[in-house]
Amino acid sequence: MQFGRLVITSTLGALLLALAAIIALASSHREAPFITKQPKVDATDFYMFNSYEADRNGYVTVIANYQPLQDSYGGPNYFFLDPDALYEIHIDNNGDAVEDITFQFQFQNTLQDLTLDIGGQQVAVPVLNLGPIGPGATDMAALNIIESYTVNIVRGDRRSGTSQAITNLDTGASSFLKPVDNIGNKSIAEYDDYADNHIYNISIPGCEAGKMFVGQRDDPFVVNLGEVFDLINLNPIGDVDAESDIIADANVTSFILEIPAACLTAEANTVIGGWTTASLRQARVLNPAPSTDPAEHGASVEGGAWTQVSRLANPLVNEVVIGLQDKDRFNASEPVDDAQFATYVTHPTLPEIIEILFGAAGVQAPTAFPRNDLVQVFLSGVPDLNATPPALAEIMRLDTSTPPVPAVMQNNLGVIAMDPAGYPNGRRPGDDVVDISLRVVMGYLLSEAEAPSGMLPYTDGALVNASMFDETFPYIRTPHPGSPTP
């Protein structure tokens, strides 16, 4: 193999072509008009990788992040999940772009209705806590709202398949406590210990045991978000670490599962596809007289069929690939129907936008149309890496048989840097999907005639690598405290 204007083996060429399929400049924060009204069900990032924690070979870690751009000081109600929503992680293990296994999460917020004696009357307090919380998961006497959740595994269709409860391996309980967000150091003195007490060993029907954590984390995505969407107000061929991570102080809510690979695969097929969705009830009626009485209704009444409003697999597909008119439709769609969005792949607009902005500096968009190189791997996976024929769909694909690479040996450019355990063979937290994808979508794999500036080292200037994350489950680090502020 020779890098330059490329000479490569057919197999590695396919691996590199895969990178062109997934066009990313940031994670999916506020990517569609409707979802901006529903931040609690806005999926921001999806990760799926072979666990690289020592002694965890044979496990797959899946991370679905929700609620973008959380300011750590965002009290007094912080970032509870929506008890009227259904959050799901889907796995396709036979290549038909239809879920075979779904993990369904539903939440409950229990008001403890803390009061104080004021002049002989018990009066409800307006704040979330009246004293320190933790470190134990059940140390919640001072907490005004307790958030809990249940998880079911559904085999077959997510609405009509066989559903079974996932339980706590140690206690047998089917309800799990979620840690409260990181209010601040006075309320929760050692948040990392407190959060660790909400890591559960779980019993998954029909599988070996796994692990689970659901709670607030430091947003793992790294991007110079403001400049990117301000007409790319940066040097796109500058140093890879020249810019700051504009969301470095933002938190996110993570659903993190570690599951035996054998639980997710089917027969001899080691490749799985994954994506996350969130759904709301089809109808909502606002209550003009909300009540806190559990027997009555709160601020709204929800009813009707579950209706999908958020969808995410590979980063930023809806944000900078799908046209504005189709963004809500993409969020409501299923992968098996993705042929309807094919034009956005065969004739991507992002390279042309970059040429418009930087053409005076010699940047030129590729001229090869249709972009059949993108279509092949964008919709079907990569031969000899993670292909899932016959269906064509935008899902994240992972070969569970690929040996994981320890954190200290990972290359943040993944497959393009000869690290086959990285993006786009799944996605690890330290994979720099922005720089990888920018370079390839601008024609890194095409001939010089088709992509005159395809060899430029495109970057957003915000660096990410495995050293910025933990080497053990749940990998994503402790969220920023609301006080003292950084």
Side-chain angles (χ1 to χ4, degrees), residues 314-360:
N314 294 294
L316 205 74
V317 168
N318 200 6
E319 206 158 7
V320 300
V321 178
I322 304 299
L324 187 58
Q325 65 178 1
D326 285 328
K327 289 180 181 294
D328 288 335
R329 188 155 65 100
F330 180 86
N331 267 351
S333 67
E334 298 186 20
V336 71
D337 299 320
D338 280 347
Q340 64 184 310
F341 304 112
T343 299
Y344 293 118
V345 181
T346 60
H347 295 73
T349 59
L350 180 60
E352 188 66 24
I353 292 172
I354 294 174
E355 179 180 331
I356 291 171
L357 296 173
F358 297 98

mmCIF file of all heavy atoms in Angstrom, residues 314-360:
data_model
loop_
_atom_site.group_PDB
_atom_site.id
_atom_site.type_symbol
_atom_site.label_atom_id
_atom_site.label_comp_id
_atom_site.label_asym_id
_atom_site.label_seq_id
_atom_site.Cartn_x
_atom_site.Cartn_y
_atom_site.Cartn_z
ATOM 1 N N ASN A 314 -24.740 6.901 12.819
ATOM 2 C CA ASN A 314 -23.489 7.594 12.563
ATOM 3 C C ASN A 314 -23.642 9.093 12.809
ATOM 4 O O ASN A 314 -24.718 9.656 12.624
ATOM 5 C CB ASN A 314 -23.045 7.330 11.125
ATOM 6 C CG ASN A 314 -22.704 5.875 10.909
ATOM 7 O OD1 ASN A 314 -21.751 5.367 11.475
ATOM 8 N ND2 ASN A 314 -23.498 5.182 10.111
ATOM 9 N N PRO A 315 -22.581 9.758 13.234
ATOM 10 C CA PRO A 315 -22.703 11.164 13.647
ATOM 11 C C PRO A 315 -23.012 12.101 12.500
ATOM 12 O O PRO A 315 -22.494 11.959 11.399
ATOM 13 C CB PRO A 315 -21.331 11.471 14.261
ATOM 14 C CG PRO A 315 -20.407 10.490 13.619
ATOM 15 C CD PRO A 315 -21.217 9.249 13.413
ATOM 16 N N LEU A 316 -23.849 13.034 12.766
ATOM 17 C CA LEU A 316 -24.164 14.190 11.944
ATOM 18 C C LEU A 316 -24.798 13.919 10.589
ATOM 19 O O LEU A 316 -24.865 14.796 9.745
ATOM 20 C CB LEU A 316 -22.925 15.069 11.733
ATOM 21 C CG LEU A 316 -23.324 16.510 11.437
ATOM 22 C CD1 LEU A 316 -23.812 17.225 12.652
ATOM 23 C CD2 LEU A 316 -22.191 17.245 10.795
ATOM 24 N N VAL A 317 -25.267 12.702 10.356
ATOM 25 C CA VAL A 317 -25.914 12.425 9.079
ATOM 26 C C VAL A 317 -27.095 13.362 8.870
ATOM 27 O O VAL A 317 -27.249 13.977 7.819
ATOM 28 C CB VAL A 317 -26.356 10.948 9.005
ATOM 29 C CG1 VAL A 317 -27.284 10.720 7.811
ATOM 30 C CG2 VAL A 317 -25.130 10.054 8.905
ATOM 31 N N ASN A 318 -27.942 13.498 9.907
ATOM 32 C CA ASN A 318 -29.108 14.376 9.747
ATOM 33 C C ASN A 318 -28.703 15.842 9.794
ATOM 34 O O ASN A 318 -29.387 16.694 9.236
ATOM 35 C CB ASN A 318 -30.141 14.078 10.832
ATOM 36 C CG ASN A 318 -31.524 14.574 10.460
ATOM 37 O OD1 ASN A 318 -31.755 15.040 9.338
ATOM 38 N ND2 ASN A 318 -32.455 14.470 11.383
ATOM 39 N N GLU A 319 -27.588 16.139 10.441
ATOM 40 C CA GLU A 319 -27.235 17.534 10.651
ATOM 41 C C GLU A 319 -26.661 18.196 9.403
ATOM 42 O O GLU A 319 -27.010 19.331 9.079
ATOM 43 C CB GLU A 319 -26.240 17.640 11.810
ATOM 44 C CG GLU A 319 -26.281 18.965 12.516
ATOM 45 C CD GLU A 319 -25.731 18.885 13.915
ATOM 46 O OE1 GLU A 319 -25.197 17.831 14.292
ATOM 47 O OE2 GLU A 319 -25.830 19.886 14.637
ATOM 48 N N VAL A 320 -25.765 17.513 8.676
ATOM 49 C CA VAL A 320 -25.151 18.156 7.504
ATOM 50 C C VAL A 320 -25.243 17.344 6.221
ATOM 51 O O VAL A 320 -24.648 17.719 5.214
ATOM 52 C CB VAL A 320 -23.667 18.513 7.763
ATOM 53 C CG1 VAL A 320 -23.540 19.460 8.918
ATOM 54 C CG2 VAL A 320 -22.828 17.263 7.983
ATOM 55 N N VAL A 321 -25.978 16.239 6.237
ATOM 56 C CA VAL A 321 -26.177 15.460 5.008
ATOM 57 C C VAL A 321 -27.610 15.619 4.507
ATOM 58 O O VAL A 321 -27.842 15.966 3.350
ATOM 59 C CB VAL A 321 -25.845 13.970 5.227
ATOM 60 C CG1 VAL A 321 -26.098 13.174 3.950
ATOM 61 C CG2 VAL A 321 -24.402 13.810 5.681
ATOM 62 N N ILE A 322 -28.574 15.366 5.380
ATOM 63 C CA ILE A 322 -29.984 15.420 4.991
ATOM 64 C C ILE A 322 -30.416 16.873 4.817
ATOM 65 O O ILE A 322 -30.133 17.727 5.659
ATOM 66 C CB ILE A 322 -30.858 14.736 6.055
ATOM 67 C CG1 ILE A 322 -30.383 13.296 6.300
ATOM 68 C CG2 ILE A 322 -32.324 14.761 5.637
ATOM 69 C CD1 ILE A 322 -30.454 12.396 5.094
ATOM 70 N N GLY A 323 -31.123 17.147 3.722
ATOM 71 C CA GLY A 323 -31.610 18.498 3.465
ATOM 72 C C GLY A 323 -32.592 18.970 4.516
ATOM 73 O O GLY A 323 -33.311 18.164 5.129
ATOM 74 N N LEU A 324 -32.656 20.279 4.713
ATOM 75 C CA LEU A 324 -33.484 20.848 5.774
ATOM 76 C C LEU A 324 -34.930 20.385 5.690
ATOM 77 O O LEU A 324 -35.574 20.113 6.708
ATOM 78 C CB LEU A 324 -33.416 22.381 5.707
ATOM 79 C CG LEU A 324 -34.082 23.151 6.839
ATOM 80 C CD1 LEU A 324 -33.507 22.758 8.190
ATOM 81 C CD2 LEU A 324 -33.951 24.649 6.619
ATOM 82 N N GLN A 325 -35.459 20.254 4.476
ATOM 83 C CA GLN A 325 -36.866 19.882 4.330
ATOM 84 C C GLN A 325 -37.148 18.456 4.794
ATOM 85 O O GLN A 325 -38.304 18.116 5.106
ATOM 86 C CB GLN A 325 -37.281 20.018 2.864
ATOM 87 C CG GLN A 325 -36.561 19.042 1.931
ATOM 88 C CD GLN A 325 -37.028 19.167 0.486
ATOM 89 O OE1 GLN A 325 -37.884 19.996 0.188
ATOM 90 N NE2 GLN A 325 -36.467 18.365 -0.400
ATOM 91 N N ASP A 326 -36.102 17.606 4.860
ATOM 92 C CA ASP A 326 -36.306 16.201 5.192
ATOM 93 C C ASP A 326 -35.791 15.820 6.571
ATOM 94 O O ASP A 326 -35.816 14.645 6.932
ATOM 95 C CB ASP A 326 -35.617 15.313 4.151
ATOM 96 C CG ASP A 326 -36.385 15.257 2.840
ATOM 97 O OD1 ASP A 326 -37.622 15.348 2.890
ATOM 98 O OD2 ASP A 326 -35.748 15.122 1.775
ATOM 99 N N LYS A 327 -35.324 16.769 7.368
ATOM 100 C CA LYS A 327 -34.711 16.423 8.645
ATOM 101 C C LYS A 327 -35.694 15.773 9.615
ATOM 102 O O LYS A 327 -35.375 14.762 10.256
ATOM 103 C CB LYS A 327 -34.075 17.666 9.267
ATOM 104 C CG LYS A 327 -32.829 18.146 8.539
ATOM 105 C CD LYS A 327 -32.258 19.382 9.214
ATOM 106 C CE LYS A 327 -31.014 19.890 8.493
ATOM 107 N NZ LYS A 327 -29.891 18.942 8.592
ATOM 108 N N ASP A 328 -36.877 16.329 9.753
ATOM 109 C CA ASP A 328 -37.870 15.710 10.633
ATOM 110 C C ASP A 328 -38.304 14.351 10.102
ATOM 111 O O ASP A 328 -38.538 13.407 10.877
ATOM 112 C CB ASP A 328 -39.091 16.619 10.782
ATOM 113 C CG ASP A 328 -38.803 17.858 11.631
ATOM 114 O OD1 ASP A 328 -37.881 17.818 12.470
ATOM 115 O OD2 ASP A 328 -39.499 18.881 11.437
ATOM 116 N N ARG A 329 -38.401 14.237 8.786
ATOM 117 C CA ARG A 329 -38.798 12.960 8.191
ATOM 118 C C ARG A 329 -37.742 11.883 8.432
ATOM 119 O O ARG A 329 -38.061 10.725 8.698
ATOM 120 C CB ARG A 329 -39.047 13.143 6.683
ATOM 121 C CG ARG A 329 -39.645 11.914 6.004
ATOM 122 C CD ARG A 329 -40.418 12.307 4.757
ATOM 123 N NE ARG A 329 -39.569 12.871 3.733
ATOM 124 C CZ ARG A 329 -39.111 12.201 2.669
ATOM 125 N NH1 ARG A 329 -39.446 10.930 2.517
ATOM 126 N NH2 ARG A 329 -38.379 12.773 1.767
ATOM 127 N N PHE A 330 -36.465 12.262 8.348
ATOM 128 C CA PHE A 330 -35.397 11.302 8.630
ATOM 129 C C PHE A 330 -35.488 10.818 10.074
ATOM 130 O O PHE A 330 -35.362 9.624 10.358
ATOM 131 C CB PHE A 330 -34.033 11.931 8.364
ATOM 132 C CG PHE A 330 -32.879 10.996 8.632
ATOM 133 C CD1 PHE A 330 -32.436 10.124 7.651
ATOM 134 C CD2 PHE A 330 -32.239 10.995 9.862
ATOM 135 C CE1 PHE A 330 -31.383 9.245 7.904
ATOM 136 C CE2 PHE A 330 -31.194 10.124 10.132
ATOM 137 C CZ PHE A 330 -30.762 9.253 9.140
ATOM 138 N N ASN A 331 -35.715 11.729 11.006
ATOM 139 C CA ASN A 331 -35.803 11.344 12.412
ATOM 140 C C ASN A 331 -36.952 10.386 12.679
ATOM 141 O O ASN A 331 -36.895 9.590 13.613
ATOM 142 C CB ASN A 331 -35.959 12.588 13.283
ATOM 143 C CG ASN A 331 -34.627 13.107 13.789
ATOM 144 O OD1 ASN A 331 -33.598 12.468 13.635
ATOM 145 N ND2 ASN A 331 -34.642 14.287 14.380
ATOM 146 N N ALA A 332 -38.000 10.469 11.872
ATOM 147 C CA ALA A 332 -39.162 9.605 12.066
ATOM 148 C C ALA A 332 -39.075 8.305 11.264
ATOM 149 O O ALA A 332 -39.923 7.431 11.417
ATOM 150 C CB ALA A 332 -40.435 10.354 11.676
ATOM 151 N N SER A 333 -38.057 8.176 10.435
ATOM 152 C CA SER A 333 -37.975 7.039 9.518
ATOM 153 C C SER A 333 -37.234 5.866 10.135
ATOM 154 O O SER A 333 -36.583 5.988 11.182
ATOM 155 C CB SER A 333 -37.284 7.456 8.222
ATOM 156 O OG SER A 333 -35.912 7.758 8.468
ATOM 157 N N GLU A 334 -37.313 4.720 9.451
ATOM 158 C CA GLU A 334 -36.599 3.521 9.871
ATOM 159 C C GLU A 334 -35.514 3.191 8.847
ATOM 160 O O GLU A 334 -35.659 3.465 7.649
ATOM 161 C CB GLU A 334 -37.565 2.356 10.028
ATOM 162 C CG GLU A 334 -38.618 2.611 11.108
ATOM 163 C CD GLU A 334 -39.489 1.399 11.379
ATOM 164 O OE1 GLU A 334 -39.059 0.281 11.027
ATOM 165 O OE2 GLU A 334 -40.580 1.569 11.938
ATOM 166 N N PRO A 335 -34.401 2.588 9.295
ATOM 167 C CA PRO A 335 -33.282 2.322 8.386
ATOM 168 C C PRO A 335 -33.659 1.537 7.138
ATOM 169 O O PRO A 335 -33.093 1.763 6.061
ATOM 170 C CB PRO A 335 -32.308 1.529 9.265
ATOM 171 C CG PRO A 335 -32.578 2.028 10.649
ATOM 172 C CD PRO A 335 -34.070 2.251 10.690
ATOM 173 N N VAL A 336 -34.621 0.642 7.255
ATOM 174 C CA VAL A 336 -34.974 -0.193 6.109
ATOM 175 C C VAL A 336 -35.522 0.639 4.949
ATOM 176 O O VAL A 336 -35.515 0.193 3.793
ATOM 177 C CB VAL A 336 -35.994 -1.273 6.548
ATOM 178 C CG1 VAL A 336 -37.359 -0.661 6.848
ATOM 179 C CG2 VAL A 336 -36.094 -2.383 5.509
ATOM 180 N N ASP A 337 -35.955 1.869 5.229
ATOM 181 C CA ASP A 337 -36.535 2.733 4.196
ATOM 182 C C ASP A 337 -35.568 3.826 3.721
ATOM 183 O O ASP A 337 -35.989 4.818 3.124
ATOM 184 C CB ASP A 337 -37.809 3.398 4.725
ATOM 185 C CG ASP A 337 -38.875 2.389 5.096
ATOM 186 O OD1 ASP A 337 -39.037 1.403 4.354
ATOM 187 O OD2 ASP A 337 -39.547 2.585 6.135
ATOM 188 N N ASP A 338 -34.278 3.661 3.941
ATOM 189 C CA ASP A 338 -33.335 4.750 3.683
ATOM 190 C C ASP A 338 -33.056 5.020 2.209
ATOM 191 O O ASP A 338 -32.407 6.026 1.883
ATOM 192 C CB ASP A 338 -32.016 4.484 4.404
ATOM 193 C CG ASP A 338 -32.094 4.857 5.874
ATOM 194 O OD1 ASP A 338 -33.066 5.529 6.259
ATOM 195 O OD2 ASP A 338 -31.191 4.468 6.631
ATOM 196 N N ALA A 339 -33.532 4.176 1.309
ATOM 197 C CA ALA A 339 -33.345 4.470 -0.119
ATOM 198 C C ALA A 339 -33.956 5.814 -0.499
ATOM 199 O O ALA A 339 -33.499 6.466 -1.445
ATOM 200 C CB ALA A 339 -33.953 3.357 -0.965
ATOM 201 N N GLN A 340 -34.957 6.265 0.261
ATOM 202 C CA GLN A 340 -35.610 7.537 -0.057
ATOM 203 C C GLN A 340 -34.669 8.734 0.125
ATOM 204 O O GLN A 340 -34.924 9.818 -0.404
ATOM 205 C CB GLN A 340 -36.844 7.726 0.831
ATOM 206 C CG GLN A 340 -36.532 7.834 2.320
ATOM 207 C CD GLN A 340 -37.761 7.923 3.190
ATOM 208 O OE1 GLN A 340 -38.653 8.730 2.934
ATOM 209 N NE2 GLN A 340 -37.843 7.074 4.214
ATOM 210 N N PHE A 341 -33.556 8.545 0.861
ATOM 211 C CA PHE A 341 -32.620 9.640 1.111
ATOM 212 C C PHE A 341 -31.333 9.495 0.295
ATOM 213 O O PHE A 341 -30.357 10.208 0.552
ATOM 214 C CB PHE A 341 -32.272 9.700 2.595
ATOM 215 C CG PHE A 341 -33.461 9.839 3.505
ATOM 216 C CD1 PHE A 341 -33.835 8.804 4.354
ATOM 217 C CD2 PHE A 341 -34.226 11.004 3.508
ATOM 218 C CE1 PHE A 341 -34.929 8.926 5.192
ATOM 219 C CE2 PHE A 341 -35.330 11.139 4.337
ATOM 220 C CZ PHE A 341 -35.687 10.093 5.179
ATOM 221 N N ALA A 342 -31.320 8.594 -0.686
ATOM 222 C CA ALA A 342 -30.082 8.266 -1.393
ATOM 223 C C ALA A 342 -29.461 9.455 -2.115
ATOM 224 O O ALA A 342 -28.235 9.559 -2.221
ATOM 225 C CB ALA A 342 -30.331 7.127 -2.383
ATOM 226 N N THR A 343 -30.260 10.371 -2.620
ATOM 227 C CA THR A 343 -29.718 11.514 -3.359
ATOM 228 C C THR A 343 -28.772 12.344 -2.502
ATOM 229 O O THR A 343 -27.788 12.899 -2.997
ATOM 230 C CB THR A 343 -30.857 12.405 -3.875
ATOM 231 O OG1 THR A 343 -31.665 11.634 -4.768
ATOM 232 C CG2 THR A 343 -30.315 13.617 -4.622
ATOM 233 N N TYR A 344 -29.039 12.417 -1.209
ATOM 234 C CA TYR A 344 -28.160 13.183 -0.333
ATOM 235 C C TYR A 344 -26.775 12.553 -0.223
ATOM 236 O O TYR A 344 -25.811 13.226 0.166
ATOM 237 C CB TYR A 344 -28.786 13.319 1.056
ATOM 238 C CG TYR A 344 -30.041 14.160 1.059
ATOM 239 C CD1 TYR A 344 -31.263 13.622 1.436
ATOM 240 C CD2 TYR A 344 -29.996 15.498 0.676
ATOM 241 C CE1 TYR A 344 -32.420 14.401 1.443
ATOM 242 C CE2 TYR A 344 -31.146 16.283 0.681
ATOM 243 C CZ TYR A 344 -32.351 15.729 1.062
ATOM 244 O OH TYR A 344 -33.482 16.513 1.067
ATOM 245 N N VAL A 345 -26.672 11.263 -0.567
ATOM 246 C CA VAL A 345 -25.381 10.573 -0.556
ATOM 247 C C VAL A 345 -24.735 10.615 -1.924
ATOM 248 O O VAL A 345 -23.534 10.890 -2.059
ATOM 249 C CB VAL A 345 -25.560 9.115 -0.096
ATOM 250 C CG1 VAL A 345 -24.219 8.395 -0.066
ATOM 251 C CG2 VAL A 345 -26.218 9.070 1.273
ATOM 252 N N THR A 346 -25.497 10.368 -2.974
ATOM 253 C CA THR A 346 -24.919 10.363 -4.315
ATOM 254 C C THR A 346 -24.498 11.751 -4.771
ATOM 255 O O THR A 346 -23.577 11.906 -5.571
ATOM 256 C CB THR A 346 -25.921 9.789 -5.336
ATOM 257 O OG1 THR A 346 -27.101 10.596 -5.347
ATOM 258 C CG2 THR A 346 -26.277 8.355 -5.003
ATOM 259 N N HIS A 347 -25.151 12.792 -4.240
ATOM 260 C CA HIS A 347 -24.836 14.172 -4.603
ATOM 261 C C HIS A 347 -24.745 15.029 -3.337
ATOM 262 O O HIS A 347 -25.578 15.900 -3.092
ATOM 263 C CB HIS A 347 -25.902 14.732 -5.556
ATOM 264 C CG HIS A 347 -25.947 14.041 -6.876
ATOM 265 N ND1 HIS A 347 -26.464 12.777 -7.039
ATOM 266 C CD2 HIS A 347 -25.532 14.439 -8.103
ATOM 267 C CE1 HIS A 347 -26.376 12.424 -8.309
ATOM 268 N NE2 HIS A 347 -25.811 13.413 -8.972
ATOM 269 N N PRO A 348 -23.739 14.785 -2.477
ATOM 270 C CA PRO A 348 -23.644 15.492 -1.202
ATOM 271 C C PRO A 348 -23.369 16.977 -1.398
ATOM 272 O O PRO A 348 -22.613 17.374 -2.289
ATOM 273 C CB PRO A 348 -22.468 14.792 -0.513
ATOM 274 C CG PRO A 348 -21.638 14.259 -1.631
ATOM 275 C CD PRO A 348 -22.608 13.859 -2.705
ATOM 276 N N THR A 349 -24.000 17.785 -0.563
ATOM 277 C CA THR A 349 -23.836 19.237 -0.675
ATOM 278 C C THR A 349 -22.674 19.777 0.140
ATOM 279 O O THR A 349 -22.168 20.867 -0.145
ATOM 280 C CB THR A 349 -25.123 19.951 -0.223
ATOM 281 O OG1 THR A 349 -25.415 19.599 1.125
ATOM 282 C CG2 THR A 349 -26.297 19.569 -1.124
ATOM 283 N N LEU A 350 -22.233 19.056 1.170
ATOM 284 C CA LEU A 350 -21.188 19.578 2.040
ATOM 285 C C LEU A 350 -19.905 19.951 1.299
ATOM 286 O O LEU A 350 -19.346 21.031 1.530
ATOM 287 C CB LEU A 350 -20.896 18.576 3.160
ATOM 288 C CG LEU A 350 -19.808 18.998 4.151
ATOM 289 C CD1 LEU A 350 -20.183 20.298 4.859
ATOM 290 C CD2 LEU A 350 -19.552 17.882 5.171
ATOM 291 N N PRO A 351 -19.379 19.108 0.382
ATOM 292 C CA PRO A 351 -18.158 19.510 -0.327
ATOM 293 C C PRO A 351 -18.332 20.809 -1.108
ATOM 294 O O PRO A 351 -17.406 21.635 -1.164
ATOM 295 C CB PRO A 351 -17.891 18.323 -1.268
ATOM 296 C CG PRO A 351 -18.551 17.165 -0.615
ATOM 297 C CD PRO A 351 -19.781 17.734 0.022
ATOM 298 N N GLU A 352 -19.507 21.013 -1.693
ATOM 299 C CA GLU A 352 -19.734 22.238 -2.452
ATOM 300 C C GLU A 352 -19.770 23.457 -1.526
ATOM 301 O O GLU A 352 -19.264 24.532 -1.870
ATOM 302 C CB GLU A 352 -21.045 22.134 -3.231
ATOM 303 C CG GLU A 352 -21.295 23.273 -4.199
ATOM 304 C CD GLU A 352 -20.292 23.298 -5.349
ATOM 305 O OE1 GLU A 352 -19.714 22.239 -5.659
ATOM 306 O OE2 GLU A 352 -20.078 24.385 -5.935
ATOM 307 N N ILE A 353 -20.367 23.275 -0.334
ATOM 308 C CA ILE A 353 -20.379 24.372 0.637
ATOM 309 C C ILE A 353 -18.955 24.762 1.011
ATOM 310 O O ILE A 353 -18.605 25.940 1.091
ATOM 311 C CB ILE A 353 -21.188 23.963 1.881
ATOM 312 C CG1 ILE A 353 -22.671 23.832 1.532
ATOM 313 C CG2 ILE A 353 -21.002 24.987 3.005
ATOM 314 C CD1 ILE A 353 -23.512 23.260 2.649
ATOM 315 N N ILE A 354 -18.106 23.757 1.227
ATOM 316 C CA ILE A 354 -16.717 24.041 1.594
ATOM 317 C C ILE A 354 -15.990 24.752 0.460
ATOM 318 O O ILE A 354 -15.210 25.693 0.688
ATOM 319 C CB ILE A 354 -16.002 22.732 1.988
ATOM 320 C CG1 ILE A 354 -16.632 22.176 3.267
ATOM 321 C CG2 ILE A 354 -14.505 22.964 2.182
ATOM 322 C CD1 ILE A 354 -16.103 20.814 3.676
ATOM 323 N N GLU A 355 -16.255 24.353 -0.777
ATOM 324 C CA GLU A 355 -15.619 25.041 -1.913
ATOM 325 C C GLU A 355 -16.109 26.484 -2.004
ATOM 326 O O GLU A 355 -15.307 27.403 -2.274
ATOM 327 C CB GLU A 355 -15.911 24.318 -3.223
ATOM 328 C CG GLU A 355 -15.282 25.029 -4.428
ATOM 329 C CD GLU A 355 -15.551 24.334 -5.745
ATOM 330 O OE1 GLU A 355 -15.724 23.104 -5.753
ATOM 331 O OE2 GLU A 355 -15.589 25.033 -6.778
ATOM 332 N N ILE A 356 -17.389 26.720 -1.815
ATOM 333 C CA ILE A 356 -17.914 28.084 -1.869
ATOM 334 C C ILE A 356 -17.197 28.978 -0.860
ATOM 335 O O ILE A 356 -16.848 30.123 -1.151
ATOM 336 C CB ILE A 356 -19.436 28.083 -1.606
ATOM 337 C CG1 ILE A 356 -20.173 27.431 -2.786
ATOM 338 C CG2 ILE A 356 -19.959 29.500 -1.372
ATOM 339 C CD1 ILE A 356 -21.648 27.186 -2.525
ATOM 340 N N LEU A 357 -16.952 28.420 0.332
ATOM 341 C CA LEU A 357 -16.347 29.219 1.397
ATOM 342 C C LEU A 357 -14.839 29.371 1.251
ATOM 343 O O LEU A 357 -14.273 30.388 1.663
ATOM 344 C CB LEU A 357 -16.666 28.581 2.755
ATOM 345 C CG LEU A 357 -18.146 28.533 3.145
ATOM 346 C CD1 LEU A 357 -18.337 27.727 4.418
ATOM 347 C CD2 LEU A 357 -18.696 29.945 3.329
ATOM 348 N N PHE A 358 -14.168 28.381 0.648
ATOM 349 C CA PHE A 358 -12.707 28.396 0.630
ATOM 350 C C PHE A 358 -12.121 28.220 -0.767
ATOM 351 O O PHE A 358 -10.938 27.945 -0.919
ATOM 352 C CB PHE A 358 -12.173 27.296 1.557
ATOM 353 C CG PHE A 358 -12.552 27.500 2.989
ATOM 354 C CD1 PHE A 358 -13.640 26.816 3.527
ATOM 355 C CD2 PHE A 358 -11.859 28.377 3.805
ATOM 356 C CE1 PHE A 358 -14.015 27.001 4.849
ATOM 357 C CE2 PHE A 358 -12.231 28.573 5.132
ATOM 358 C CZ PHE A 358 -13.311 27.883 5.652
ATOM 359 N N GLY A 359 -12.961 28.407 -1.788
ATOM 360 C CA GLY A 359 -12.467 28.256 -3.153
ATOM 361 C C GLY A 359 -11.338 29.212 -3.486
ATOM 362 O O GLY A 359 -10.414 28.869 -4.232
ATOM 363 N N ALA A 360 -11.383 30.406 -2.907
ATOM 364 C CA ALA A 360 -10.324 31.385 -3.171
ATOM 365 C C ALA A 360 -8.976 30.905 -2.667
ATOM 366 O O ALA A 360 -7.920 31.364 -3.138
ATOM 367 C CB ALA A 360 -10.679 32.729 -2.528
#
